[in-house]
Amino acid sequence: MFTGMSTKVRLGRRLVQLYAGLALYGASSALLLEAGLGLEPWNVLHQGLSKLTGLSMGVVLTIVGAAVLLLWIPLRQRPGLGTVSNVLVIGFAMDATLAVLPDVRALAVRVPLLLAGVVLNGAATGLYIAADFGPGPRDGLMTGLHRRTGRSIRLIRTAVEVAVVVTGFALGGTVGVGTVLYALTIGPLAQLFLRVFAVPAASARSTVVATGQPEGAILQR
């Protein structure tokens, strides 16, 4: 009985971590956008596409996430609950946060917004990855390409993120000091928060977990 209860408590904690992490990820991305000092690589692309199409950032993020998820099929990647939730939750949370944030123009406010966005994004990454329900579509794309091509995660991640930044910038996305700060700090921050939010191991794994997605490989630069 105690084993079953412990397993339920652990599963409940993981679910809370998953959705809290995804919601926080969307909210922290909204802070980076509002700061206007440079976005994380994929959101440079999302912002560029948003300007091109007139759709909100959150809607574009969701559409791109779903499109990337389709690329998993030839890579034979298996999505988990976290993968699908990533597509559905982050964009909604981002748009909801942007709707309540005031317009910020003063640099004295924008810099703290940028710093808060980067740190909270690292915390969000640690939360949802430590929940162990499968990687997000973009991380799964990189690990899938790694397995299919034999190229290093570092090389593939760099190539993909440079491509999305260049494309996003060409479409009008914001590249700046925030983009550089994010690139330099998100790995260490995510690793720190992975340790903070680590869920104690259990003998039985949930059936909704997509296995074979090493956390270290996803975060490795």
Side-chain angles (χ1 to χ4, degrees):
M1 181 178 69
F2 289 109
T3 300
M5 183 175 296
S6 175
T7 300
K8 289 180 180 179
V9 169
R10 182 175 182 273
L11 177 60
R13 172 181 167 174
R14 290 170 58 214
L15 286 169
V16 169
Q17 280 197 203
L18 170 65
Y19 290 107
L22 294 176
L24 183 59
Y25 196 101
S28 63
S29 293
L31 294 181
L32 291 171
L33 178 62
E34 191 64 32
L37 296 171
L39 297 170
E40 61 267 52
W42 278 94
N43 272 341
V44 176
L45 175 63
H46 299 150
Q47 187 184 41
L49 290 171
S50 176
K51 291 181 177 181
L52 179 67
T53 62
L55 298 173
S56 72
M57 280 278 289
V59 170
V60 170
L61 191 153
T62 300
I63 292 172
V64 171
V68 171
L69 194 54
L70 291 176
L71 297 177
W72 282 33
I73 297 172
L75 297 174
R76 298 181 181 177
Q77 291 281 91
R78 185 162 61 93
L81 175 64
T83 311
V84 177
S85 298
N86 185 295
V87 174
L88 300 176
V89 174
I90 293 180
F92 175 81
M94 186 177 188
D95 275 350
T97 304
L98 287 171
V100 299
L101 282 176
D103 187 30
V104 175
R105 298 185 183 276
L107 189 62
V109 179
R110 292 163 64 201
V111 170
L113 270 184
L114 168 65
L115 297 176
V118 171
V119 173
L120 290 175
N121 197 275
T125 302
L127 269 170
Y128 85 77
I129 291 181
D132 197 21
F133 280 106
R138 296 155 187 83
D139 285 326
L141 173 65
M142 294 173 194
T143 55
L145 288 171
H146 161 66
R147 291 192 182 91
R148 297 288 286 180
T149 66
R151 303 291 185 180
S152 71
I153 288 286
R154 184 187 303 273
L155 175 62
I156 290 172
R157 181 158 197 156
T158 299
V160 170
E161 293 193 351
V162 166
V164 298
V165 166
V166 170
T167 304
F169 180 70
L171 293 173
T174 305
V175 176
V177 64
T179 310
V180 177
L181 179 65
Y182 185 91
L184 293 176
T185 61
I186 191 60
L189 282 171
Q191 290 287 8
L192 168 65
F193 286 110
L194 271 169
R195 291 193 291 270
V196 171
F197 298 121
V199 179
S203 57
R205 296 178 63 88
S206 168
T207 57
V208 293
V209 174
T211 58
Q213 307 293 348
E215 294 163 1
I218 292 173
L219 295 172
Q220 183 182 353
R221 293 281 171 176

